[in-house]
């Protein structure tokens, strides 16, 4: 893989030798749907469960980057997709080129597919197909504002999450201040995919406003990436940090609108009214990120203080050490828009599942579907002649905030009337042997659980706001 990436990087440099070295943005969120009757619903759930586990493994065991007014608020449509992500469109370059980006609160780098020679392997994102698809790419030579980021540029270290980068030419030069070496190529790992490319300084166009010298990745090779990624995490290269946002918020539309023209709104806000709470929202504070050597990605996540979980009003017995991050970075809860189904460490998931099984008396277990989907418990809820009734799942957070999730946010009905709990854990897929491990966050709250919720990340006051809301 690395030799292939370097080959593409070299080719890129040969192709483009001429390239020199309160914002309130309602952007539209889109989500990708699994309502196509030609697709196997069990396979779809199994795919989403597997990808959620892969994502959890990445978040818990991150790999560092490898070297190879109206002006104050902007909005954009947010769309949903059946591969599990939500996307927005952003405009880069001079003149502007518009591209889709998956929003990801679990990472902090913004990159787009780049050049006519961009290659993405296994990017169809249909669970039943491995065919490649054509993905829109940014063309640097068509933009007069494209610049390569140099090794001496402080933003080069943002890309590689290091105080010093591997800039041999600059380090060995007799006049390092005149060094023209480009920032080394990046190679990024996500839950089930990768991307590689070169850092650019480019113009980001937001409505009537332009943001110059925005750090963005020009990826020329990827695997299993449906579009570019807009990192919304806490790091220096993230979109909120570069735009100096005070807060951002979104409302995730229901999964039934996957891959449709329906959309909700992402709001990017840098208004001056810093301390005011949004009406109707309940808030819980972000808690301090663990600082662990070799696991710098933990500092990018949004940690919240989940205090307890109740099922049908009964408290789930969760070992306390899993509810807060320790000095080694293990434990705690993060909110991650890039995960579909919520992940829970086995020590939390097992008592949760047992409590559901104990309380569900009217429906029999559908163990065959559990094997097919990798989700459990599943219950046969068909032919009952009345609405499905399952125990309420309620999350209780630090500061007194609590949310009672709508039934469709934690159970998915699949096939001919079988409802499965959409929470994954170690070894959960198909009853298999997928192991995520004990390092890192113990709970990753996925987007499936947050559909039809208005979610506000108040960065200035370090708190998360939530309220149930029909997004469209």
């Amino acid at each position: 893989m690395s030799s292939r990436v370097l080959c593409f990087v070299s080719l890129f440099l040969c192709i483009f030798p001429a390239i020199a070295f309160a914002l309130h943005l309602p952007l539209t969120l889109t989500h990708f749907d699994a309502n196509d009757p030609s697709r196997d619903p069990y396979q779809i759930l199994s795919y989403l469960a597997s990808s959620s586990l892969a994502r959890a493994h990445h978040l818990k065991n991150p790999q560092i980057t490898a070297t190879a007014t109206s002006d104050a608020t902007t909005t954009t449509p947010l769309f949903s997709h059946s591969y599990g992500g939500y996307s927005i469109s952003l405009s880069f370059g001079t003149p502007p080129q518009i591209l889709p980006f998956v929003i990801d609160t679990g990472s902090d780098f913004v990159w787009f597919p780049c050049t006519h020679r961009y290659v993405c392997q296994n990017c169809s994102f249909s669970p039943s197909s491995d065919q490649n698809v054509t993905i829109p790419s940014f063309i640097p030579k068509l933009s007069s504002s494209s610049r390569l980021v140099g090794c001496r540029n402080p933003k080069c270290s943002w890309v590689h999450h290091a105080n010093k980068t591997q800039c041999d030419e600059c380090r060995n030069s007799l006049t390092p201040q005149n060094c023209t070496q480009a920032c080394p190529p990046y190679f990024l790992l996500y839950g089930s995919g990768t991307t590689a490319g070169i850092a650019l300084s480019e113009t980001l166009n937001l409505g009537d406003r332009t943001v110059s010298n925005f750090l963005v990745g020009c990826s020329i090779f990827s695997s299993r990436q449906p579009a570019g990624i807009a990192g919304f995490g806490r790091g220096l290269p993230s979109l909120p940090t570069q735009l100096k946002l005070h807060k951002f918020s979104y409302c995730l539309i229901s999964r039934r609108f996957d891959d449709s023209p329906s959309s909700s709104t992402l709001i990017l806000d840098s208004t001056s009214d810093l301390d005011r709470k949004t009406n109707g929202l309940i808030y819980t504070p972000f808690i301090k990120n663990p600082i662990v050597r070799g696991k710098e990605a933990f500092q990018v996540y949004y940690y919240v203080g989940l205090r307890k979980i109740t099922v049908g009003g009964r408290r789930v017995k969760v070992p306390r050490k899993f509810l807060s991050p320790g000095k080694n970075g293990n434990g705690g809860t993060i909110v991650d828009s890039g995960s579909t189904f919520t992940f829970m460490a086995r020590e939390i998931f097992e008592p949760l599942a047992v409590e559901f099984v104990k309380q569900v008396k009217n429906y029999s277990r559908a163990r065959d579907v559990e094997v097919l989907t990798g989700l459990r418990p599943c219950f046969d809820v068909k032919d009952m002649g009345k609405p499905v009734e399952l125990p309420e799942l309620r999350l209780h957070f630090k500061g007194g905030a609590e949310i009672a999730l709508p039934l469709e946010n934690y159970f998915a009905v699949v096939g001919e009337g079988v409802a499965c709990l959409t929470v994954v854990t170690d070894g959960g897929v198909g009853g298999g042997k997928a192991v995520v491990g004990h390092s890192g966050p113990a709970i990753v709250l996925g987007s499936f659980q947050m559909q039809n919720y208005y979610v506000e990340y108040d960065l200035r006051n370090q708190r998360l706001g939530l309220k149930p809301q029909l997004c469209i």
Side-chain angles (χ1 to χ4, degrees), residues 308-321:
K308 66 177 179 178
I309 304 169
T310 56
V311 173
R314 297 180 182 176
R315 184 168 185 164
V316 176
K317 295 181 179 180
V318 177
R320 293 187 62 86
K321 69 177 182 178

Side-chain angles (χ1 to χ4, degrees), residues 38-313:
S38 66
R39 297 167 64 185
D40 183 341
Y42 302 110
Q43 188 180 27
I44 293 170
L45 276 187
S46 178
Y47 167 81
L48 292 176
S50 297
S51 61
S52 298
L53 270 176
R55 172 73 174 185
H57 183 274
H58 164 69
L59 292 172
K60 290 164 68 62
N61 302 278
Q63 301 294 317
I64 62 173
T65 303
T67 298
T69 58
S70 57
D71 290 340
T73 304
T74 311
T75 64
T76 188
L78 179 66
F79 299 90
S80 68
H81 304 280
S82 54
Y83 57 66
Y86 288 82
S87 74
I88 59 174
S89 293
L90 294 175
S91 171
F92 281 93
T94 308
Q97 301 177 45
I98 300 174
L99 297 167
F101 292 79
V102 176
I103 65 166
D104 182 10
T105 60
S107 67
D108 67 348
F109 189 56
V110 182
W111 64 267
F112 42 51
C114 198
T115 82
H116 289 299
R117 297 179 180 271
Y118 176 74
V119 173
C120 190
Q121 294 186 341
N122 301 319
C123 291
S124 69
F125 290 89
S126 165
S128 59
S129 174
D130 289 327
Q131 297 178 358
N132 290 334
V133 295
T134 300
I135 296 176
S137 297
F138 183 84
I139 310 302
K141 70 178 181 181
L142 298 181
S143 172
S144 61
S145 51
S146 285
R147 299 289 185 272
L148 285 175
V149 173
C151 257
R152 290 180 53 80
N153 190 324
K155 292 182 179 180
C156 182
S157 64
W158 295 5
V159 180
H160 297 279
H161 292 277
N163 293 326
K164 296 182 179 180
T165 54
Q166 300 298 318
C167 299
D168 295 335
E169 180 181 317
C170 294
R171 186 171 56 248
N172 298 329
S173 174
L174 296 177
T175 55
Q177 66 275 13
N178 297 325
C179 178
T180 59
Q181 183 181 354
C183 185
Y186 60 82
F187 179 56
L188 304 176
L189 303 176
Y190 293 93
S192 56
T194 60
T195 193
I198 296 175
L200 293 182
S201 176
E202 190 45 284
T203 296
L204 172 61
N205 307 285
L206 295 172
D208 295 332
R209 180 187 173 188
T210 59
V211 181
S212 59
N213 299 317
F214 189 96
L215 175 67
V216 62
C218 169
S219 285
I220 52 180
F221 174 83
S222 300
S223 66
R224 303 196 61 78
Q225 298 299 326
I229 288 181
F232 271 70
R234 289 177 173 275
L236 291 173
S238 77
L239 189 143
T241 302
Q242 290 199 67
L243 295 183
K244 298 180 174 60
L245 297 183
H246 295 154
K247 65 176 66 172
F248 67 90
S249 56
Y250 52 68
C251 194
L252 301 181
I253 63 174
S254 171
R255 307 297 306 204
R256 68 177 181 272
F257 295 110
D258 284 356
D259 303 329
S260 77
S262 299
S263 65
S264 56
T265 300
L266 168 70
I267 300 174
L268 307 180
D269 193 348
S270 61
T271 56
S272 59
D273 192 1
L274 301 179
D275 298 322
R276 182 175 62 87
K277 292 184 177 180
T278 303
N279 290 336
L281 267 63
I282 56 173
Y283 286 89
T284 184
F286 291 128
I287 62 175
K288 187 176 180 180
N289 294 53
I291 300 176
V292 182
R293 186 174 181 179
K295 298 291 180 69
E296 286 76 14
F298 291 172
Q299 299 174 49
V300 172
Y301 305 155
Y302 293 99
Y303 281 85
V304 291
L306 182 63
R307 292 307 191 208
K308 66 177 179 178
I309 304 169
T310 56
V311 173

